[in-house]
Amino acid sequence: MVVLSAAPVVLAACGGGTQSALNPHGPAASEIATLWWVLFAISMAVVVIVFGLLGVALFRRRDAPDTRHTESHGLVITLGVAAPAVILIGAFGFNLHTMLAIDHPASPATVHIQVIGHQWWWEVQYLQPQKFATANEIHVPVGEAVQVQLIAPDVIHSFWVPELQKKVDMIPGRTNTTWLQADQPGDYRGQCAEYCGTEHGQMAFHVVAQSPADFQVWLQAQAAPAQQPTGDQAQGVQVFAKEGCISCHAIQYGSNGPTGGTIGPDLTHLASRQTIAAGELANTPDNLTAWVRNAQAIKPGNFMPQIPMNSQDVQALVSYLDTLK
Ligand code: CUA
C-alpha cells in the first residue's frame, strides 16, 4: 500500500504522459485528485484507529476488571453508529461538492468538438471554430475549455483522460457531454475505460495541449484541404483508389467535398498525427507499412481487412500517405 500510494507522488514530477488521475493537469482533474486524497486520508485514519483499538483489545491485561457492561453501550453508539455516520455523510458531501465543481468549466468553452467511439478508435469532429475531422488525437488550447459531445454508434465506450477529466461513458442512442481543459502544454494520454470488445485495451488517444497561438496554427492546418498530390504521388493515389482504401477512408481535397468513405479514420492530415491504430503504433513510415500490409497481425480483430498488395504498391501508398501533413 505504501509503495502503491507513493508511486503517483514520484510520477507527479513528470508533466503529462503518466495517465494517472493523481497527476492532474487541469482544473477538473485537480478537484478529482483532491477528492481522492481526502478519501484516502479518511480511509487511512479509520484503518489506523480500528487497528489501534484492536491492538488495545488484544494486548490489554487479561486480569483487568471486566467493565464491558458499563462501557460498551456508549462505545457502540459512538464508534459504531455516530462516527461512521459523520464520516460517510462528510465524504458524500465532499463527493457532491466535487461533482458540482467539475460539472461546468469556469468560463464558456471556446472550442466545440464531438468524439465518436468506434470499435476500436476515436473519430474526432471539430465543430467550432473550425469544422474538420481527425482521429485518435485531440488538440486543445491551454487555459481554455473545450466542450466535448460523446457518442457511440456500436457499443458502449468510455472517454477518459485521467490527467484532465473524469471518465464519461459513450452510449449508443444518447449524447453525453464533458469538457477538457489543461493548465499547461503537454501530451495527455486517454484510454477507453469501458470494455468494448477484443481491442478495448488498444483503444487509446492523445490530448495535446498547446499555447493558444500554436493551437490556432494547428487548427488552420487541419481545416485546410489535403495537399494536391504531385506527379510523384500519382501512383500512391491510384493504389489508394484501386485497392479499396478509399471506400473506408476519406481524404478531403477541398471544393469537391469529402473524397472517400467514413468507416475508418479520415486521413486528410494523417502524417500530422503522432500515432496510428488508436495510439498503438508511432506514426512512422515503417509502422504505416506494417499496418497497411497486415493490420490484423498488429491489432487482431480490427475492422481493416487485409488487402494483398505488391511491395511497390505498398511503398507508393505509404509515401503518398506520408505527404498528408
Ligand atoms: Cu472502447 Cu473500450
Side-chain angles (χ1 to χ4, degrees), residues 198-212:
T198 317
E199 294 296 346
H200 156 71
Q202 304 292 352
M203 188 171 167
F205 61 103
H206 287 260
V207 175
V208 179
Q210 299 172 291
S211 70

Side-chain angles (χ1 to χ4, degrees), residues 118-120 122 155-158 191-197 199-201 203:
H118 293 277
Q119 285 176 313
W120 293 275
W122 309 84
V155 299
I156 300 175
H157 304 270
S158 182
Q191 168 68 45
C192 183
E194 177 79 35
Y195 182 73
C196 54
E199 294 296 346
H200 156 71
M203 188 171 167

Side-chain angles (χ1 to χ4, degrees), residues 1-2 5-6 34-46:
M1 180 50 109
V2 172
S5 58
T34 304
L35 172 66
W36 191 94
W37 284 110
V38 167
L39 294 181
F40 178 70
I42 293 172
S43 311
M44 287 313 288
V46 169

Side-chain angles (χ1 to χ4, degrees), residues 26-315:
S30 297
E31 295 279 352
I32 294 167
T34 304
L35 172 66
W36 191 94
W37 284 110
V38 167
L39 294 181
F40 178 70
I42 293 172
S43 311
M44 287 313 288
V46 169
V47 167
V48 167
I49 290 168
V50 167
F51 279 90
L53 290 176
L54 188 64
V56 170
L58 286 173
F59 294 111
R60 79 195 226 166
R61 283 172 53 202
R62 303 264 170 205
D63 57 352
D66 187 349
T67 53
R68 271 176 300 177
H69 296 295
T70 50
E71 282 177 3
S72 63
H73 200 70
L75 203 64
V76 166
I77 295 293
T78 313
L79 290 183
V81 180
V86 168
I87 291 169
L88 290 176
I89 290 169
F92 178 65
F94 201 73
N95 260 293
L96 285 182
H97 158 80
T98 305
M99 287 165 72
L100 288 174
I102 66 173
D103 194 43
H104 290 99
S107 28
T110 54
V111 179
H112 293 253
I113 67 173
Q114 184 177 59
V115 179
I116 301 140
H118 293 277
Q119 285 176 313
W120 293 275
W121 61 284
W122 309 84
E123 178 181 346
V124 183
Q125 295 283 349
Y126 275 72
L127 308 173
Q128 274 176 29
Q130 295 279 359
K131 241 173 122 56
F132 58 85
T134 181
N136 307 318
E137 193 169 308
I138 298 168
H139 286 232
V140 302
V142 165
E144 295 176 26
V146 174
Q147 185 77 22
V148 188
Q149 293 173 19
L150 299 168
I151 60 172
D154 42 31
V155 299
I156 300 175
H157 304 270
S158 182
F159 180 85
W160 194 27
V161 192
E163 288 172 78
L164 299 180
Q165 249 302 3
K166 63 180 177 178
K167 57 178 89 153
V168 180
D169 279 0
M170 311 168 97
I171 302 167
R174 65 167 286 152
T175 304
N176 281 340
T177 56
T178 186
W179 56 280
L180 295 172
Q181 185 173 331
D183 290 332
Q184 44 182 280
D187 184 344
Y188 306 108
R189 195 174 186 275
Q191 168 68 45
C192 183
E194 177 79 35
Y195 182 73
C196 54
T198 317
E199 294 296 346
H200 156 71
Q202 304 292 352
M203 188 171 167
F205 61 103
H206 287 260
V207 175
V208 179
Q210 299 172 291
S211 70
D214 288 349
F215 173 73
Q216 284 304 326
V217 171
W218 178 85
L219 202 69
Q220 301 305 331
Q222 295 289 315
Q227 213 175 32
Q228 287 293 340
T230 59
D232 286 356
Q233 292 123 31
Q235 199 195 341
V237 177
Q238 272 176 18
V239 175
F240 188 75
K242 86 170 166 100
E243 297 295 350
C245 313
I246 200 167
S247 25
C248 296
H249 297 282
I251 296 175
Q252 322 278 346
Y253 282 111
S255 53
N256 299 328
T259 312
T262 53
I263 294 170
D266 184 298
L267 303 180
T268 307
H269 296 290
L270 170 68
S272 73
R273 297 174 204 156
Q274 301 178 52
T275 67
I276 54 172
E280 195 171 353
L281 297 174
N283 188 3
T284 64
D286 283 352
N287 284 340
L288 198 54
T289 303
W291 180 257
V292 166
R293 275 190 188 285
N294 190 358
Q296 293 302 322
I298 295 165
K299 196 164 172 176
N302 86 81
F303 296 155
M304 180 153 142
Q306 189 183 357
I307 296 167
M309 274 185 260
N310 64 46
S311 298
Q312 216 187 354
D313 280 356
V314 172
Q315 208 183 2

